[in-house]
Amino acid sequence: MVKAVVLGAAGGIGQPLALLLKANPLVTELGLYDIVNTPGVAADLSHISTPAKVVGHLPPDDGLAKVLTGADVVVIPAGVPRKPGMTRDDLFKINAGIIRDLATGVAKYAPNAFVLVISNPVNSTVPIVTEVFKQHGVFNPKRIFGVTTLDVVRASTFVAEIVGDLSKAPSIKVPVVGGHSGVTIVPLLSQSSTPLPSSVDQGALEKLTYRIQYGGDEVVKAKDGAGSATLSMAYAGADFANSVIKALKGESGIVVPTFVHLTADAAGGEALKKELGKELDFFSAPVELGPDGVKSIKSLGKLTDYEKKLVEAAIPELETNIEKGITFIAGSKL
Ligand SMILES: NC(=O)c1ccc[n+]([C@@H]2O[C@H](COP(=O)([O-])OP(=O)(O)OC[C@H]3O[C@@H](n4cnc5c(N)ncnc54)[C@H](O)[C@@H]3O)[C@@H](O)[C@H]2O)c1
Ligand SMILES: O=C(O)C[C@H](O)C(=O)O
């Protein structure tokens, strides 16, 4: 039995993500929560002939408590998206408070659930969730994840385009590490499971790296004020949730990049800090998932000189983003 919950379920990401989770045969109960429209979304999805029982809740009548009770996996895409000209950090003002309040609900009503944070800026919202959980005495670093899967999905797609064979996209694996915004997104293209063609020189490699780092901007620009990536994000979020659910049910050997706390308790976190040469609290690294969440945090492996520079460039912005999230909660009364 797996109960998955989506907080922000009526939104651009929330609805298609809820659809994909409803289509996942491993999900037996699907709880939907938003400040608007969840009864309608839940009624609609409930007619689909898959196992999950669907319930929709709104804030009145303890909706958050009801939806979270019994949750195994909580996915959070609640919050505002970017418009052209904005950075993800510009969303902090509004989204930080939304995430703080929802995380407070999760800490109270589903403290053992796996929490998958999609809302931007991920580099700051994950530290917010962590600090809220600490304040409630329920922090378990193995169960809080920033979802960076869209960067991995984009890298696979763009490499397949360069290879000239999109049919390879689902099987191409490129580790993307660091964080989830601009220079903090670090694709390790030298480790692509399908090597880049020899025609890709340093200039082309830099262009491809830039496209992966700023793929979100491409969508924001094309949507022209109507928001940011929703459908590709729903695909990526459902894919990551499926990895977490499979690991929860005992499947072994699942390794995926995700933004996690580099705690001493999680095997590999301290080693990764040493490798980075920095006392960072969070980093997106390849993580082996297990039934209790993070089983081990992996090394970044052998990096090229160019990739080493990308990692170095990511660290100062990551530090600032992480600190901003931590300080926000340190200064709030929960
Ligand atoms: N991690 C990633 O790779 C990634 C990718 C794309 C988008 N995002 C982020 O995901 C977030 C959502 O994007 P979207 O396009 O779905 O936005 P959206 O505006 O379409 O949907 C957001 C939903 O959140 C709901 N919401 C707002 N406050 C809430 C609260 N307190 N409780 C519950 N629900 C609440 C809104 O009612 C809305 O339905 C944004 O912050 C966006 O930047 C992250
Ligand atoms: O770009 C955005 O603001 C949304 C998301 O983080 C993305 O990478 O598409």
Side-chain angles (χ1 to χ4, degrees):
M1 304 289 272
V2 174
K3 177 172 178 180
V5 170
V6 181
L7 305 181
I13 296 167
Q15 291 203 38
L17 174 61
L19 169 63
L20 293 169
L21 290 171
K22 172 67 177 136
N24 186 329
L26 298 175
V27 177
T28 50
E29 193 174 343
L30 180 61
L32 308 180
Y33 177 84
D34 200 299
I35 50 175
V36 289
N37 298 340
T38 39
V41 177
D44 189 355
L45 289 175
S46 72
H47 291 190
I48 296 174
S49 52
T50 55
K53 175 177 174 254
V54 189
V55 287
H57 289 284
L58 293 167
D61 303 324
D62 284 335
L64 188 57
K66 283 182 186 150
V67 81
L68 286 170
T69 301
D72 298 295
V73 177
V74 179
V75 195
I76 313 183
V80 291
R82 285 198 287 163
K83 287 188 171 18
M86 292 171 82
T87 66
R88 291 180 184 81
D89 188 52
D90 293 334
L91 303 172
F92 187 94
K93 251 190 181 158
I94 298 178
N95 289 354
I98 294 175
I99 290 302
R100 176 197 57 211
D101 296 346
L102 293 175
T104 302
V106 184
K108 281 188 187 159
Y109 306 114
N112 294 317
F114 292 176
V115 189
L116 282 50
V117 185
I118 291 175
S119 315
N120 272 316
V122 167
N123 297 352
S124 305
T125 51
V126 173
I128 289 175
V129 174
T130 297
E131 291 303 308
V132 169
F133 272 50
K134 281 184 188 167
Q135 289 208 8
H136 284 83
V138 295
F139 173 52
N140 179 345
K142 297 183 179 176
R143 289 175 180 252
I144 299 175
F145 305 91
V147 184
T148 57
T149 320
L150 181 53
D151 305 315
V152 177
V153 166
R154 284 184 177 131
S156 307
T157 308
F158 301 164
V159 168
E161 283 175 8
I162 285 179
V163 169
D165 185 358
L166 259 186
S167 73
K168 289 209 166 85
S171 63
I172 293 177
K173 302 280 172 253
V174 181
V176 183
V177 301
H180 179 68
S181 72
V183 294
T184 73
I185 298 172
V186 179
L188 304 180
L189 287 158
S190 68
Q191 296 176 27
S192 171
S193 60
T194 296
L196 294 170
S198 53
S199 57
V200 176
D201 59 13
Q202 182 61 25
L205 179 72
E206 288 180 17
K207 267 200 188 131
L208 174 58
T209 300
Y210 183 90
R211 190 171 180 215
I212 297 165
Q213 291 182 314
Y214 293 92
D217 295 39
E218 252 180 53
V219 182
V220 170
K221 192 167 170 228
K223 290 201 173 178
D224 198 16
S228 57
T230 53
L231 304 173
S232 52
M233 182 60 236
Y235 172 87
D239 188 53
F240 183 67
N242 188 44
S243 296
V244 167
I245 292 168
K246 283 196 295 188
L248 173 72
K249 291 184 77 70
E251 190 171 321
S252 59
I254 300 174
V255 179
V256 283
T258 170
F259 189 73
V260 289
H261 193 269
L262 301 185
T263 176
D265 294 347
E270 287 300 317
L272 182 59
K273 281 189 203 174
K274 282 210 184 87
E275 195 174 317
L276 295 168
K278 204 74 203 174
E279 270 300 311
L280 272 184
D281 283 342
F282 296 86
F283 199 80
S284 183
V287 165
E288 181 175 1
L289 300 170
D292 299 320
V294 174
K295 188 169 174 198
S296 65
I297 299 170
K298 305 286 182 196
S299 154
L300 303 187
K302 193 168 160 26
L303 307 185
T304 62
D305 287 344
Y306 175 57
E307 289 164 352
K308 282 182 196 157
K309 286 208 181 87
L310 293 176
V311 171
E312 268 167 38
I315 288 176
E317 188 164 320
L318 267 176
E319 280 185 301
T320 309
N321 295 161
I322 292 167
E323 189 53 35
K324 190 167 174 178
I326 293 174
T327 310
F328 179 72
I329 296 302
S332 328
K333 266 233 166 298
L334 296 184

